[in-house]
Amino acid sequence: MPMESNIWKAAGLLAGCAVLLLCMGASLLFGAVHYSWTDVWNAAFHYDENDGGQMMIRTARMPRAFIAAAIGASLAIAGAIMQTLTRNPLASPSVLGINAGASFVVVLAAVTFSVSRMEALMWLAFAGAALGAVIVYLLGSAGRDGLTPLKMVLAGTALTALFSSFTQGILAVNKQSLGTVLYWLTGTVAGRSPETLTAVLPYLTVCWIAAWFISRELNVLSMGEEAAKGLGQKTAALKLAAGLIVVVLAGGSVSVAGPIGFIGIVIPHISRFFAGIDHRWIIPYCAVFGAVLLVAADLAARFIMIPEEVPVGVMTAMIGVPFFIFIARKGLAKS
């Protein structure tokens, strides 16, 4: 039975990869201007920079598709790890203040100190994500009953509102930067250069691999901290490693695409439906399904207000908010 179950899980993962390839192909083909497969093939393997269609595919749509896939995978994996660490099904970088912290620090640096280099913004996003994570953990741990899922959500919600207010205050004082930053703050993968992804991709890739390598330990931790300690697990070291992975994945995603929400909530639950409770399967399922969701959402965003585009963060919110309410109404977030 376990072998048969693994075969079905592997088949589901391969099917997800096939859907991802189809979505990425559609992302290259469709938009305000449609292209043919011949145009895509030539742009990839016989590039002519004098051909406007090939230039658009090569410099805009290809980076956009790959960035959406990478960010979707990163946010989904980060959400799965956070839900296991906190034992809270509502945990995600967008809910627990991590995205908001990264966004605040990036906006502060970009608007107030005119920081524009991608490498600098990336490290600042890491720092902001870490700041948000630490504050939420400290607030959620305060009190006699210690850390609880409900207190984590409340602390994350409060911190998100606080950082959002700070961000809006900065933009209100520096109105000349409002147009540049506002579209990024809604969450978007449009208009990003290939260099934007190549700067952050090595860090994301290392964290994807590291997340899978700690998946066995996450299985043990999911049984409860006391049980994990009884089995000899060093829970403090595991939580630190997992926290660093979440910070890099969330911070890197924000530095590239802004604060895209709800993928970290929706995808881990869908992945568990197909993969069960084994994180050795949940992590790769999250990577594939998260990539599919964000690439598909970005594709759909092109057709809402043609020729204008809706930011992909709006599309993920339209999907994620009902899902968030559904989980809360089911009473899965226990205090």
Side-chain angles (χ1 to χ4, degrees), residues 252-276:
S253 298
V254 169
S255 68
V256 173
I260 297 175
F262 296 103
I263 291 178
I265 294 178
V266 174
I267 295 301
H269 289 281
I270 296 175
S271 298
R272 291 188 192 98
F273 177 80
F274 288 98

Side-chain angles (χ1 to χ4, degrees), residues 105-124 180-181 184 192-193 195-196 199 255-256:
V105 173
V106 168
V107 170
L108 178 65
V111 173
T112 306
F113 301 103
S114 301
V115 178
S116 59
R117 290 180 60 250
M118 181 61 204
E119 291 79 3
L121 292 175
M122 178 183 66
W123 285 104
L124 288 167
T180 304
V181 177
W184 174 84
R192 299 294 184 262
S193 65
E195 292 74 23
T196 303
S255 68
V256 173

Side-chain angles (χ1 to χ4, degrees), residues 213-324:
F213 270 106
I214 65 170
S215 58
R216 288 179 179 271
E217 286 73 19
L218 290 174
N219 287 341
V220 177
L221 186 62
S222 65
M223 296 187 298
E225 187 161 356
E226 294 301 322
K229 288 180 178 178
L231 293 172
Q233 186 179 84
K234 297 180 179 179
T235 56
L238 174 61
K239 288 182 176 180
L240 178 60
L244 288 174
I245 291 171
V246 169
V247 164
V248 173
L249 291 177
S253 298
V254 169
S255 68
V256 173
I260 297 175
F262 296 103
I263 291 178
I265 294 178
V266 174
I267 295 301
H269 289 281
I270 296 175
S271 298
R272 291 188 192 98
F273 177 80
F274 288 98
I277 60 174
D278 189 345
H279 285 79
R280 291 174 298 177
W281 288 103
I282 291 174
I283 297 299
Y285 263 86
C286 280
V288 174
F289 286 1
V292 168
L293 176 59
L294 195 55
V295 173
D298 179 55
L299 179 61
R302 304 175 194 180
F303 297 96
I304 302 297
M305 298 174 57
I306 295 176
E308 300 297 327
E309 294 187 5
V310 176
V312 70
V314 176
M315 298 299 296
T316 59
M318 290 172 61
I319 299 169
V321 169
F323 198 91
F324 183 94

Side-chain angles (χ1 to χ4, degrees), residues 179-203:
T180 304
V181 177
L182 190 59
Y183 191 71
W184 174 84
L185 281 173
T186 60
T188 180
V189 295
R192 299 294 184 262
S193 65
E195 292 74 23
T196 303
L197 179 61
T198 55
V200 74
L201 186 60
Y203 300 95

